[in-house]
Amino acid sequence: MTLLSNLAAAETAMENPGAAREAAWRAYRLQRSSPVAAEALAMAYAASPRHAAMVRALRAKAGLVGNKPAAASPPGALPP
């Protein structure tokens, strides 16, 4: 999932929106709870004004998911 998110970021930087969106959606489908995947998907769609609401929602989700307290993790769980 992280590799696909990084690929989406690279494709976004290279101004290849189609490939960025494809990689970001694949990452998001693999792990919808990941703030990294949510942010990658938001970045892939950020250049399109017609997707502004989705971008705001994904960025909000990335912020909320990424700020969960450590106690929410099961005992002995490894960090992501």
Side-chain angles (χ1 to χ4, degrees):
M1 180 279 313
T2 302
L3 183 61
L4 286 168
S5 295
N6 290 342
L7 176 60
E11 294 290 0
T12 299
M14 293 187 310
E15 298 181 7
N16 190 352
R21 290 175 184 158
E22 181 181 338
W25 271 115
R26 290 174 65 197
Y28 189 73
R29 280 188 211 114
L30 283 173
Q31 193 171 355
R32 291 180 188 268
S33 64
S34 168
V36 174
E39 184 59 31
L41 191 55
M43 281 185 358
Y45 279 92
S48 174
R50 62 181 231 199
H51 294 104
M54 182 176 77
V55 170
R56 281 192 305 274
L58 286 165
R59 289 207 166 128
K61 179 179 180 177
L64 290 174
V65 173
N67 292 324
K68 282 186 180 176
S73 300
L78 297 175

